[in-house]
Amino acid sequence: MPKITVLQRANLSEDQWHSMLISLLRGLAALQVAAAHLRAQVYPGFDTVQDPSLAFQGLAFATGFAYLAVIVFFVLSGWLVGGSLLNRLDTDRAIANYAIDRVTRLWIVLIPTFGAMLLLGMATSTLDPARPSFALDNAYSAPAFIGNLVGLQNIVVPEFGGNFPLWSLSNETWYYVLFPLLVMLFRTRSTSYRLVILVAVVAIVHLLNEAILLYFSIWLLGAAFSRVRIECGPLLRWALFLGVVAAAVIIRLKGKSHIAVDSFAQYLSFSLVFVLFLSSMQFRRTRGHATEWLNRIGRFFSEFSFTLYVLHIPLIAALLRLAAPVLGDGKLNPNQPLDMLVYLILYLGLVAGAYLFHLPFEAKTYRVREWLKTVLYARGRAVRA
């Protein structure tokens, strides 16, 4: 029988099997979303293709898990972000450090990405720099820029520059805010403090739509299971792994291909099997050539997964503009093998571009974060003195 242990602290050590899998899955999820959106941009819709080739059928199937990839992001975000906050709640400046970590994680990628999108908008004449906009419904307006930095896209403003994958960052941003508020609500002994937190939570709930609130439970599932270890034999682990794969394939073939209220049940079911599998992998991994290679691959792609997710739509637009003299304005031919090679070259260019873009920004997150804490805390000590 499996043994279930509730841990005192989330096990975030990098020498664990589940940590290696989390790195791999973060990278794969971003790669999947980019591949899906590139296919949608350069190929006609699958349903419109008569007698599609076997290769195109395989491509369409393999790149059809984008929404599941976002669900994986939600679960892993809860596991890592929620788990790490719970680990350090009793440390000095826990909430302040958490806030700085979350803001730097988002803004060090979003701000330069938005800057690149503004340059692309001017290059394509989509944006007129001589006529700045302050309209809430303008995707390139100043309110859209600021609103997307604080998670108000699809609530008050559109996604900045038409970068539609940014919708999920609205979910993430408010989950980052709601989770510490709920934790403090249950931990504080001050009635007045609890009342202030409760008012803030009610105000946020009133602001957000039903889908964002509903999917918060999936994020919380990740945070909760970061403290659960399931000790079992390889048979059950393989059964859980196959359950995750089967659930993903069933949703891909028979489920709803969007993230909304009416698709919540299918994604919750998938997430339950997923966190059970991750919890069963909470043990030290064996060191060998294959596992070390997988670990390096996972860490490599996970390190710029956020940049790839945020940047891939403007990068696709830039690549297609550069390739326009060769490709023209038409779609690739689904039954032409050479066009499949063009897709692959574009995809590799997309991933390489995201990697290069992450080097001066996302790769410096930890350094910027520590510098900011040093400056802010030094200033706080100076004010108190």
Side-chain angles (χ1 to χ4, degrees):
M1 291 294 291
K3 178 183 177 183
I4 300 175
T5 305
V6 178
L7 305 172
Q8 293 297 314
R9 294 174 57 83
N11 184 358
L12 303 177
S13 175
E14 292 183 357
D15 64 352
Q16 304 289 300
W17 270 104
H18 73 283
S19 294
M20 185 184 78
L21 289 172
I22 285 172
S23 291
L24 277 169
L25 289 168
R26 285 171 63 194
L28 285 172
L31 290 168
Q32 166 65 211
V33 172
H37 290 155
L38 178 62
R39 178 178 66 82
Q41 289 283 335
V42 300
Y43 275 113
F46 183 79
D47 292 339
T48 67
V49 179
Q50 291 185 349
D51 300 322
S53 67
L54 189 61
F56 185 66
Q57 290 181 52
L59 178 67
F61 177 79
T63 57
F65 294 86
Y67 284 113
L68 266 174
V70 173
I71 297 300
V72 167
F73 277 133
F74 287 167
V75 173
L76 297 184
S77 176
W79 188 294
L80 296 172
V81 176
S84 63
L85 175 61
L86 292 175
N87 280 357
R88 63 187 187 187
L89 272 177
D90 295 320
T91 62
D92 188 34
R93 298 192 180 103
I95 299 299
N97 285 331
Y98 171 85
I100 293 171
D101 290 351
R102 292 306 93 217
V103 169
T104 52
R105 170 63 172 163
L106 293 171
W107 288 8
I108 202 169
V109 176
L110 287 179
I111 290 175
T113 296
F114 291 173
M117 291 171 64
L118 288 171
L119 292 175
L120 180 62
M122 288 186 285
T124 57
S125 300
T126 306
L127 174 66
D128 183 359
R131 301 177 62 184
S133 172
F134 296 91
L136 289 178
D137 59 351
N138 187 328
Y140 281 102
S141 68
F145 187 102
I146 297 169
N148 277 252
L149 290 179
V150 295
L152 291 176
Q153 59 269 38
N154 277 346
I155 300 173
V156 177
V157 294
E159 296 98 344
F160 185 73
N163 192 350
F164 58 88
L166 296 179
W167 71 265
S168 69
L169 295 190
S170 179
N171 292 56
E172 286 281 354
T173 300
W174 291 108
Y175 300 162
Y176 292 163
V177 174
L178 281 171
F179 184 66
L181 287 176
L182 293 177
V183 170
M184 290 186 292
L185 183 65
F186 288 104
R187 282 174 60 92
T188 184
R189 296 180 180 179
S190 167
T191 303
S192 58
Y193 192 34
R194 183 176 287 119
L195 183 61
V196 170
I197 295 172
L198 189 59
V199 169
V201 170
V202 170
I204 292 170
V205 169
H206 182 71
L207 171 71
L208 304 180
N209 61 52
E210 188 179 358
I212 294 178
L213 294 172
L214 197 57
Y215 281 83
F216 185 35
S217 61
I218 288 178
W219 195 96
L220 290 174
L221 200 63
F225 272 83
S226 70
R227 291 288 187 94
V228 176
R229 181 173 63 217
I230 301 174
E231 298 175 56
C232 60
L235 186 63
L236 181 56
R237 289 194 198 101
W238 275 107
L240 288 171
F241 171 72
L242 292 175
V244 172
V245 174
V249 171
I250 291 170
I251 291 173
R252 170 70 182 91
L253 296 176
K254 303 292 184 181
K256 295 179 172 65
S257 58
H258 58 265
I259 294 179
V261 174
D262 65 343
S263 59
F264 174 71
Q266 68 180 28
Y267 292 126
L268 178 62
S269 301
F270 169 83
S271 301
L272 282 168
V273 182
F274 181 40
V275 293
L276 287 171
F277 169 65
L278 279 183
S279 292
S280 75
M281 299 300 292
Q282 291 219 52
F283 62 97
R284 190 183 299 273
R285 60 183 169 84
T286 54
R287 291 191 175 274
H289 179 74
T291 55
E292 288 304 306
W293 180 80
L294 276 175
N295 188 47
R296 285 195 296 270
I297 292 294
R299 286 175 61 83
F300 173 77
F301 284 105
S302 69
E303 285 174 358
F304 69 100
S305 59
F306 185 44
T307 297
L308 178 58
Y309 184 84
V310 169
L311 187 68
H312 71 276
I313 292 299
L315 261 181
I316 289 172
L319 284 172
L320 292 182
R321 185 172 178 82
L322 289 173
V326 177
L327 299 179
D329 298 326
K331 298 282 188 178
L332 296 179
N333 187 336
N335 295 320
Q336 178 58 253
L338 208 57
D339 282 13
M340 195 72 71
L341 179 61
V342 173
Y343 170 85
L344 180 60
I345 292 171
L346 288 171
Y347 184 60
L348 291 176
L350 185 61
V351 175
Y355 172 75
L356 293 174
F357 194 87
H358 111 284
L359 291 175
F361 304 114
E362 186 177 5
K364 302 294 190 295
T365 300
Y366 180 79
R367 188 180 301 176
V368 172
R369 185 177 287 168
E370 294 307 305
W371 171 82
L372 190 58
K373 289 176 183 177
T374 301
V375 171
L376 291 177
Y377 296 153
R379 184 171 298 175
R381 287 193 294 270
V383 170
R384 287 194 297 271

